[in-house]
């Protein structure tokens, strides 16, 4: 499987990344290189090997259900571009 | 052409936890904006999500309640999309290996039959924040208090064949999550939200029609209305020779119609992948046993037992198991007064009516199960009539006495069963109404009711009606 220029454009759009035409060409090549590697791995017989979800051989530790965080809104909002009445303001999004 | 309706529901139940699914911020409802959104919820760099034990316990309990397989190993995935109420740019959810696998529930249809509804899966995920679109001079306000709140998304099979079935199923899930204590199910606060996938196909067709998804329905009434509208709309489109477009639609409550929201992104546009911040969740048998050890008797099992043990109808047994509080209350009254049918009638009649009128939940009822049982015992042993019992009930409700006995005593409501006393009342009524007496004796049997009524009135409702009836007949015959 190899990607087309349109695929790269679509992926960039989904990731909200703006690419210049020469960047698109470079990413097309690099992404296809990655897919070639995947194709190579796909050729290995993995019958009976369970899919790996995480490289660490550990399991998820659970946290007791306790409220441990206090209100730090002021500190967080000090670095926000725009706030009002405790809300973060962002360019209008409405469907 | 006859059409077949096909509906599947995705229900989001907010889980009953103190803190968020991956952070120690509070989940309490109604706090000032952004005061319960910590660095993890905001997706600030360098934070690490750590899974909440209680959220996992809730999911396990649900899995058991719907007879599903609980995955010994499940994983968390990132669902990628950009929206300002989701600061990380992805929602942590479960995709390939959800915690709860295939299960089932049974719903009761209008004709009294039961139908099995399959549940495809249920998975843990985090909620997004809230966007406020009004009046920020061209900006949208974002409150992230809800971001990271634990949700269980419950996905049904496309087994529902009408809006009514969809509502019955949604109510069943609502009943279960509250019953097993994993969600308060509060619909006003958004703790129970439904998305519906709807399609229609010619009766007998093998493949499904193109579906639309109606998002974010937060009441059973709106669910039913939205589905009705959408089904009619799709049939109309198809009968005009058109095609249904696969899309997400919103239900507009004021106009009672659905309208398109956005073209549904293909599943792979979310670019799900395992979240590297979270390790696989592995559940040991012992952990599952611990989470489910104190599960109460489930509603369907309890309803069946009520039916068999107390001789109730299917219908009554179902109503009495609508909530665990109701079922417990009923059983306490039934056992204390030793007349389950009387207990059922009173609970579904007087008590429910009084609660509705006062807009209270059973938990807030001013009359305890012991108090109600005490009242019903006095009906049973003939101390008071049903009519007087209603009077005593109201007095108990208003808190005029600690027990039915105390109120009966204080207000002199004890039924008159003394033959001489009733006899005197009957004699007086006969003497006062010669015309009606003559009519009765001339064969107009119906007049008896009037005369009984007069005697009851004279006794202020306290005379035993059966005795009054018998004595009147006897004396009028003479």
């Amino acid at each position: 499987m190899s990607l087309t220029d349109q695929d790269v454009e679509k992926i960039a759009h989904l990731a909200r990344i703006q690419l210049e035409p020469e960047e698109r060409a470079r990413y097309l090549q690099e992404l296809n290189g990655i897919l070639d590697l995947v194709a190579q791995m796909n050729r290995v017989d993995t019958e009976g090997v369970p899919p790996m979800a995480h490289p660490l051989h550990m399991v998820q530790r659970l946290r007791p259900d306790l409220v441990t965080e206090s209100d730090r809104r002021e500190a967080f909002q000090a670095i926000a571009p725009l706030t009002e009445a405790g809300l973060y303001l962002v360019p209008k999004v409405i469907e | 052409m006859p059409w077949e309706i096909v509906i599947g529901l995705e229900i989001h139940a907010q889980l009953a936890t103190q803190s968020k699914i991956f952070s120690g911020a509070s989940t309490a409802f109604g706090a000032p904006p952004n005061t319960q959104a910590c660095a993890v919820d905001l997706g600030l760099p360098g934070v690490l999500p750590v899974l909440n034990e209680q959220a996992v316990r809730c999911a396990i309990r649900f899995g058991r309640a719907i007879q599903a397989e609980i995955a010994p190993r499940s994983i968390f995935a990132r669902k990628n999309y950009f929206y300002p109420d989701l600061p990380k740019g992805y929602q942590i959810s479960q995709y390939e290996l959800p915690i709860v696998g295939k299960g089932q529930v049974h719903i009761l249809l209008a004709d009294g039959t039961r139908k099995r509804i399959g549940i495809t899966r249920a998975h843990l995920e985090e909620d997004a924040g809230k966007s406020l679109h009004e009046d920020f001079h061209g900006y949208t306000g974002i409150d992230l208090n809800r971001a990271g709140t634990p949700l269980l998304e419950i996905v049904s099979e496309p087994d529902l064949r009408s809006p009514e079935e969809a509502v019955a199923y949604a109510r069943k899930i609502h009943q279960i999550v509250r019953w097993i204590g994993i969600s308060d199910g509060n619909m006003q606060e958004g703790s129970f939200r439904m998305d519906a996938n709807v399609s229609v196909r010619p009766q007998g067709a093998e493949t499904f029609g193109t579906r639309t998804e109606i998002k974010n329905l937060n009441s059973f009434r709106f669910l039913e209305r939205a589905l009705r509208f959408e089904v009619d709309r799709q049939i109309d489109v198809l009968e005009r020779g058109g095609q249904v477009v696969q899309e997400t639609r919103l239900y507009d409550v004021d106009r009672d119609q659905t309208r398109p929201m956005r073209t549904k992104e293909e599943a792979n546009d979310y670019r799900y992948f395992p979240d590297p911040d979270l390790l696989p969740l592995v559940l040991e048998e012992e952990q599952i046993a611990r989470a489910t050890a104190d599960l109460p008797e489930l509603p369907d099992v309890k309803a069946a037992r009520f039916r068999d043990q107390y001789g109730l109808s299917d219908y009554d047994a179902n109503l009495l198991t609508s909530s665990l509080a109701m079922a417990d209350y009923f059983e306490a009254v039934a056992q204390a007064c030793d007349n389950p049918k009387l207990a059922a009638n009173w609970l579904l009649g007087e008590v429910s009516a009084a609660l509705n009128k006062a807009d209270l939940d059973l938990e807030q009822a001013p009359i305890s199960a012991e108090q109600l049982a005490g009242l019903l015992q006095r009906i049973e042993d003939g101390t008071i009539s049903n009519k007087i019992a209603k009077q005593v009930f109201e007095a108990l409700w208003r808190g005029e006495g600690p027990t039915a006995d105390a109120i009966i005593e204080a207000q002199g409501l004890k039924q008159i069963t003394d033959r001489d006393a009733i006899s005197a009342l009957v004699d007086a009524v006969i003497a006062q109404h010669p015309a009606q007496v003559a009519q009765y004796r001339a064969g107009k049997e119906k007049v008896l009711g009037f005369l009984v009524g007069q005697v009851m009135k004279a006794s202020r409702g306290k005379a035993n009606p059966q005795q009054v009836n018998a004595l009147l007949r006897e004396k009028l015959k003479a």
Side-chain angles (χ1 to χ4, degrees):
Chain A
M1 180 188 159
S2 76
L3 298 174
T4 64
D5 186 51
Q6 283 80 47
D7 293 327
V8 175
E9 200 182 334
K10 187 184 170 194
I11 294 164
H13 169 71
L14 287 174
R16 301 297 187 271
I17 295 170
Q18 194 181 346
L19 296 181
E20 301 304 324
E22 60 273 18
E23 289 176 306
R24 275 220 307 261
R26 180 158 62 84
Y27 280 121
L28 178 61
Q29 204 184 0
E30 289 180 0
L31 288 171
N32 274 329
I34 293 169
L35 288 180
D36 287 343
L37 178 67
V38 172
Q40 189 184 337
M41 292 194 288
N42 265 345
R43 286 193 291 274
V44 178
D45 180 10
T46 54
E47 190 67 32
V49 180
M52 183 182 74
H54 202 283
L56 297 182
H57 285 282
M58 291 164 69
V59 298
Q60 181 62 40
R61 188 172 65 84
L62 299 180
R63 179 177 61 77
D65 180 27
L66 297 171
V67 175
T68 52
E69 297 284 343
S70 52
D71 171 21
R72 295 175 60 204
R73 183 175 80 183
E74 211 175 314
F76 293 140
Q77 295 203 334
I79 52 167
L82 215 51
T83 62
E84 186 178 316
L87 298 163
Y88 294 93
L89 294 191
V90 299
K92 191 138 198 145
V93 276
I94 193 152
E95 306 231 27
Chain B
M1 184 181 357
W3 296 93
E4 185 181 36
I5 300 166
V6 178
I7 300 167
L9 293 187
E10 293 168 14
I11 294 176
H12 292 90
Q14 180 179 324
L15 298 176
T17 61
Q18 302 299 312
S19 65
K20 294 192 175 170
I21 184 166
F22 298 118
S23 83
S26 170
T27 55
F29 181 81
N34 292 306
T35 55
Q36 292 175 176
C38 72
V40 175
D41 309 325
L42 295 178
L44 292 182
V47 298
L48 192 70
V50 185
L51 185 57
N52 184 334
E53 175 181 68
Q54 178 66 9
V56 172
R57 181 173 175 273
C58 289
I60 295 172
R61 287 166 78 83
F62 182 76
R64 179 56 51 86
I66 61 160
Q67 299 154 39
E69 193 195 327
I70 294 150
R73 179 170 174 275
S74 68
I75 61 174
F76 287 87
R78 292 185 179 180
K79 179 182 182 180
N80 298 279
Y81 64 98
F82 290 97
Y83 210 73
D85 60 15
L86 193 72
K88 295 195 295 296
Y90 59 85
Q91 177 192 27
I92 305 177
S93 181
Q94 295 193 295
Y95 187 58
E96 279 160 317
L97 295 173
I99 183 164
V100 175
K102 277 189 190 302
Q104 57 177 352
V105 294
H106 289 86
I107 59 172
L108 194 62
L109 302 181
D111 65 1
T113 59
R114 259 165 229 288
K115 181 176 174 180
R116 175 194 181 277
I117 306 297
I119 291 174
T120 316
R121 58 185 284 164
H123 63 255
L124 286 166
E125 64 182 27
E126 59 178 344
D127 206 347
K130 232 158 104 179
S131 303
L132 300 143
H133 298 294
E134 62 277 348
D135 201 25
F136 293 104
H137 15 271
Y139 286 89
T140 294
I142 304 290
D143 176 8
L144 295 168
N145 279 351
R146 208 180 58 189
T149 297
L151 301 177
L152 189 66
E153 177 171 337
I154 303 153
V155 183
S156 85
E157 296 283 327
D159 285 349
L160 304 158
R161 289 291 172 273
S162 68
E164 294 77 14
E165 284 186 18
V167 171
Y169 165 77
R171 283 185 184 279
K172 173 56 74 179
I173 297 296
H174 189 248
Q175 174 198 35
I176 291 172
V177 296
R178 293 176 65 217
W179 190 280
I180 62 176
I182 66 165
S183 173
D184 65 15
N186 188 323
M187 301 183 96
Q188 283 81 39
E189 294 178 4
S191 298
F192 194 87
R193 311 193 292 268
M194 300 162 284
D195 301 340
N197 287 298
V198 201
S199 64
V200 298
R201 61 179 171 186
Q203 199 83 52
E206 296 262 312
T207 54
F208 291 130
T210 305
R211 66 186 160 85
T212 59
E213 182 177 14
I214 312 171
K215 278 264 185 221
N216 240 336
L217 297 157
N218 62 2
S219 88
F220 298 124
R221 195 160 55 104
F222 294 157
L223 171 66
E224 183 161 0
R225 283 203 201 164
L227 286 171
R228 270 186 211 296
F229 175 87
E230 183 56 19
V231 163
D232 288 347
R233 187 190 70 84
Q234 290 187 11
I235 291 174
D236 194 53
V237 166
L238 294 170
E239 286 186 341
R240 286 163 190 266
Q243 286 194 319
V244 173
V245 180
Q246 181 171 339
E247 63 188 356
T248 302
R249 299 177 70 90
L250 278 181
Y251 175 64
D252 184 329
V253 176
D254 300 324
R255 296 200 181 123
D256 188 23
Q257 61 182 38
T258 65
R259 56 182 165 75
M261 185 166 108
R262 59 178 173 211
T263 23
K264 176 85 181 159
E265 286 167 289
E266 291 296 320
N268 61 8
D269 279 359
Y270 288 129
R271 293 153 297 139
Y272 282 97
F273 65 89
D275 191 328
D277 284 346
L278 289 153
L279 294 154
L281 172 64
V282 171
L283 297 176
E284 310 286 347
E285 268 309 316
E286 182 269 327
Q287 205 174 345
I288 295 172
R290 204 160 7 104
T292 54
D294 64 340
L295 268 182
E297 183 182 29
L298 293 169
D300 289 359
V301 177
K302 202 181 274 278
R305 181 168 64 77
F306 279 5
R307 208 183 48 216
D308 300 341
Q309 183 177 342
Y310 299 123
L312 302 178
S313 69
D314 237 353
Y315 182 80
D316 283 356
N318 251 291
L319 286 178
L320 289 168
T321 49
S322 58
S323 75
L324 190 56
M326 174 76 110
D328 286 347
Y329 193 102
F330 162 72
E331 206 154 26
V333 177
Q335 288 181 349
C337 80
D338 207 26
N339 185 338
K341 280 186 185 163
L342 189 64
N345 289 342
W346 272 76
L347 200 45
L348 298 175
E350 295 301 315
V351 177
S352 294
L355 288 171
N356 275 341
K357 202 171 146 200
D359 197 19
L360 293 175
D361 290 330
L362 187 59
E363 290 90 330
Q364 303 162 297
I367 297 184
S368 70
E370 293 71 32
Q371 285 175 312
L372 184 63
L375 170 62
L376 301 191
Q377 277 168 341
R378 293 301 157 258
I379 302 175
E380 274 286 282
D381 67 14
T383 306
I384 51 173
S385 66
N386 237 309
K387 201 168 167 198
I388 294 290
K390 287 179 188 176
Q391 213 175 309
V392 177
F393 175 79
E394 283 165 22
L396 270 175
W397 188 274
R398 289 190 299 262
E400 287 171 21
T403 62
D405 285 341
I407 288 166
I408 293 165
E409 179 66 37
Q411 304 189 7
L413 297 172
K414 196 166 183 306
Q415 183 158 263
I416 302 168
T417 52
D418 177 65
R419 192 186 151 88
D420 292 341
I422 295 175
S423 186
L425 291 169
V426 168
D427 287 343
V429 166
I430 289 176
Q432 281 158 18
H433 300 88
Q436 283 82 356
V437 169
Q439 283 175 0
Y440 178 82
R441 285 182 169 145
K444 207 171 168 199
E445 288 258 345
K446 265 174 28 190
V447 181
L448 189 71
F450 167 80
L451 294 169
V452 170
Q454 292 305 308
V455 177
M456 291 306 294
K457 199 171 152 192
S459 76
R460 296 191 4 254
K462 292 188 290 183
N464 177 302
Q466 286 79 28
Q467 278 179 293
V468 172
N469 215 297
L471 264 173
L472 256 173
R473 283 179 190 278
E474 194 184 311
K475 285 179 189 280
L476 288 170
K477 221 185 284 168

